[in-house]
Structures are given as C-alpha cells and as structure tokens.
Amino acid sequence: MEWLTETKIPLGQWISSLMDALNEHADFVFYTISDVLEFIIENTIDFLLWLPPLLIIAGFGALAAVLHKSWKLTAFTILSLLLIVNLGYWEETMETLALVIYASLFCMVIGVPLGVASAHRPWLYQAMRPVLDLMQTIPTFVYLIPTLILFGLGVVPGLISTVIFAIAAPIRLTHLGISSTPKALLEAGESFGCTPRQLLFKVELPSAMPSIMAGLTQCIMLSLSMVVIAALVGADGLGKPVVRALNTVNIAQGFEAGLAIVILAIVLDRICRRDNNETSGQ
C-alpha cells in the first residue's frame, strides 16, 4: 500500500492554490460583497433594536393570530419572547433573527427557482444531487475556512456558510412538490389552453406550496443550527454567549442562551408552518 500513499493526489493543495488565487486577483469583489452584506445586515439589526421589544413581540403575536387563528400559539409566542427579554438576550436574539431572515431569504430566492428548473429537467437534478449531498454532509468547518479567508471576520462568512448548508432543503423540497403535482391537474390546465408559464404559476406552484413552505421551515431550522458555528468567525447573536459559556464552563449562561435559540426556532417554525389540519379553534 505504500505506492498508494506515495502518489497522493494533492486535492488540498489545489483548493488552497485556488483560494490564494481568488484572494489575490479577486479580493476586491469579495470585500465589496462583504461590505454590502454587512451594511444591510447591520442596518437591519439597528432597525430591529430601535423598535421597542414589546412592539416586535406584539407583531409576532399578531402574525400568529392572523396566519393560524390560534389563541394558544399566540399566547405561546408572546410569552416565549417575553421570557427572552426577561433573560436579557433580546439584543442577541435580534442579531440572530436578522441572520436567519437573510439566510432564509437567499436560500429561497436561489433554491426555489433551482428546484422548479430541476423538476422540469431531470438531467439537471441528477447533476445537482451529488453537489447537494456534498453541501449537506461535508463538515461545516471545512467550508467555513475558505469563506473566512475570502470574506474576512464578521457576520458575512457566517451568512455565506449558513446559505451553503441550508440551501439544499428548499431545492429538494421544491423539486419534490413540483414533481408531485397530480397529472390530472396538469391535464386539466392543458385542456384549458394554459401556457407552460401559466401551468407553473397557476397549477404547479399552488400545488407545491405546502412542500415549498416546508423547505422554508427547514431553512430556518438549519440556519439556527449554524448560529453557534457562525459565532466562531465573528458573527454576533445568540451563538456568542454559547461559545463564551463553553469557554468558561458557565452552565447557567449556556443554558439560557441555548434556551433562547430554541424559543426563537420554535416560534419561527410554528408561525411559518402551514398545517393542512389546522383549525380556527386551536
């Protein structure tokens, strides 16, 4: 077996050389992207922190009431967010919320069109599937290193890494929803003379909407699972107190910050989820 190890393929060196070349010849592009994204996210955070916490909590409660018509969910949402305020993690929660919002937005804007295209072109999905598998299974620290080198410290490498990690969910679930559109609906649309564009927007997308919304909730959950990892490269939010608690073995701080992450995840998941069996009296 020595001959096999002696003729090692220098994959790592090739990737390192590529990163060095990009950093040398296209650094202005990455720094421009980093500056723009950081400006947008920081201004969003400033706006969220400028708003009174009770106003934001009331807004979340109103969303829960309007979208789900459930007093139980509304009460849970309000009480849970009030608990975060009481624990003293409201500022970190708003920083995490901004990261999750933009990560989910980028994932849906990129992922839904790719899912639709791959559903209409099976060869495209076959080509994308191994890439999606790689993006979801490769350790996140592996692609955190090149994003850190290209975009520098701060929230941007955390955002880019989160998008890479989470984007596979909307692509797969959109593909599943579009591919699962009943043939009877498609045939009915074609019989009425619908064009391919009309079939997409009036038949396929409405039929696939539960699956697409499931992709959105998956994006949110995956984005929140990256909060602590993003904190390691300078991203603000609830990940910072968790990392700080880990370094100082502070059980109380780690539990409280972790509980705030869980609360935010549950609230966003319940508000964005669209259950078919949901009734107005729940």
Side-chain angles (χ1 to χ4, degrees), residues 128-140 143 161 163-168 171-172:
M128 290 170 52
R129 188 163 60 177
V131 179
L132 298 177
D133 293 338
L134 181 67
M135 291 164 62
Q136 285 191 303
T137 56
I138 192 170
T140 51
Y143 51 76
S161 300
V163 171
I164 294 173
F165 180 67
I167 197 171
I171 294 176
R172 291 184 188 276

Side-chain angles (χ1 to χ4, degrees), residues 103-117:
S104 301
L105 176 64
F106 290 143
C107 285
M108 297 303 289
V109 169
I110 299 171
V112 171
L114 284 177
V116 172

Side-chain angles (χ1 to χ4, degrees), residues 135-235:
M135 291 164 62
Q136 285 191 303
T137 56
I138 192 170
T140 51
F141 288 101
V142 174
Y143 51 76
L144 200 62
I145 297 172
T147 55
L148 177 61
I149 293 173
L150 296 176
F151 296 99
L153 281 171
V155 68
V156 176
L159 174 66
I160 300 298
S161 300
T162 301
V163 171
I164 294 173
F165 180 67
I167 197 171
I171 294 176
R172 291 184 188 276
L173 288 170
T174 301
H175 170 271
L176 176 64
I178 297 295
S179 301
S180 302
T181 303
K183 290 185 177 179
L185 289 178
L186 294 175
E187 292 173 355
E190 291 173 351
S191 66
F192 282 102
C194 289
T195 64
R197 181 183 295 272
Q198 290 173 328
L199 279 177
L200 173 63
F201 286 100
K202 295 184 177 181
V203 178
E204 292 178 321
L205 285 177
S207 175
M209 192 54 63
S211 183
I212 294 174
M213 292 303 297
L216 174 60
T217 58
Q218 286 295 309
C219 270
I220 294 171
M221 296 300 103
L222 293 171
S223 299
L224 283 166
S225 71
M226 289 287 291
V227 165
V228 177
I229 296 176
L232 297 176
V233 292

Side-chain angles (χ1 to χ4, degrees), residues 83-123:
L83 177 60
I84 293 178
V85 176
N86 176 262
L87 293 175
Y89 289 100
W90 183 255
E91 181 176 346
E92 292 84 353
T93 300
M94 292 300 98
E95 292 168 347
T96 296
L97 179 63
L99 176 64
V100 171
I101 288 173
Y102 283 107
S104 301
L105 176 64
F106 290 143
C107 285
M108 297 303 289
V109 169
I110 299 171
V112 171
L114 284 177
V116 172
S118 62
H120 291 159
R121 301 167 181 83
W123 63 267

